[in-house]
Amino acid sequence: MTIADSPLPTTSPDVGPLLKEYREVFVPAAVDYLERRISANELRERWKPHYYGTFHQYDVTVERAWREQSGSTGLLESGGPPADPRHETPLAHFPVSVAYNNLDRLIEVLAVELGDQTVDKTRLRERTVDFAHVIDSLDALMASLDN
């Protein structure tokens, strides 16, 4: 049994609470990191409660919505998802899940590279640009889905 199989009510994914917390909690942490006020480890510490809390709840809702609407059992299926209008809602929210998981990996990479150092000590400036771009693009993506 996976978390998506547990007996919690399924609702349509609502990105609103996730976006609100992202803007109130994580975006200020990202700004602090980019402006060299906190280290990569501090960034990770401020990210994890949001990622494992509000995002995880949202992600489970997206997974459940997909299972309900597609009849999926959660096992790997061959081919892409069928182009069916009833799948529109969960498919629209999958990019948020993918982006969040990618951002989590990037924050882990930054923490491994820099530890208690700030962003100005990075050897790969591209990661800083990538980080800033992902923060901005993820906000725009979630805003586009917010009803």
Side-chain angles (χ1 to χ4, degrees):
M1 176 192 258
T2 67
I3 188 87
D5 294 322
S6 60
L8 294 174
T10 302
T11 60
S12 182
D14 180 7
V15 77
L18 181 65
L19 177 59
K20 183 178 186 299
E21 185 177 295
Y22 178 80
R23 287 177 172 168
E24 291 175 356
V25 175
F26 185 67
V27 170
V31 170
D32 285 347
Y33 172 74
L34 291 169
E35 293 182 353
R36 298 180 204 104
R37 290 191 290 263
I38 64 171
S39 70
N41 280 340
E42 290 169 300
L43 175 69
R44 179 173 50 183
E45 288 170 16
R46 289 168 66 178
W47 163 254
K48 288 300 180 186
H50 174 70
Y51 180 74
Y52 286 116
T54 305
F55 165 70
H56 183 71
Q57 292 167 357
Y58 166 84
D59 195 39
V60 167
T61 303
V62 172
E63 174 68 20
R64 286 192 178 134
W66 171 253
R67 286 186 184 194
E68 273 187 6
Q69 293 175 11
S70 70
S72 173
T73 62
L75 299 175
L76 287 177
E77 299 166 12
S78 64
D84 187 326
R86 67 189 172 112
H87 301 152
E88 180 180 358
T89 299
L91 289 176
H93 289 264
F94 278 151
V96 174
S97 293
V98 171
Y100 256 84
N101 287 310
N102 287 342
L103 180 55
D104 182 60
R105 294 294 89 208
L106 179 56
I107 291 169
E108 288 297 324
V109 166
L110 294 169
V112 167
E113 178 195 356
L114 296 171
D116 290 326
Q117 298 178 69
T118 56
V119 68
D120 56 314
K121 304 296 187 229
T122 186
R123 294 180 310 268
L124 299 169
R125 299 275 178 225
E126 295 84 2
R127 287 186 184 146
T128 304
V129 173
D130 290 348
F131 179 76
H133 178 72
V134 168
I135 297 303
D136 186 53
S137 297
L138 182 54
D139 186 281
L141 173 62
M142 288 190 288
S144 75
L145 296 170
D146 192 18
N147 298 327

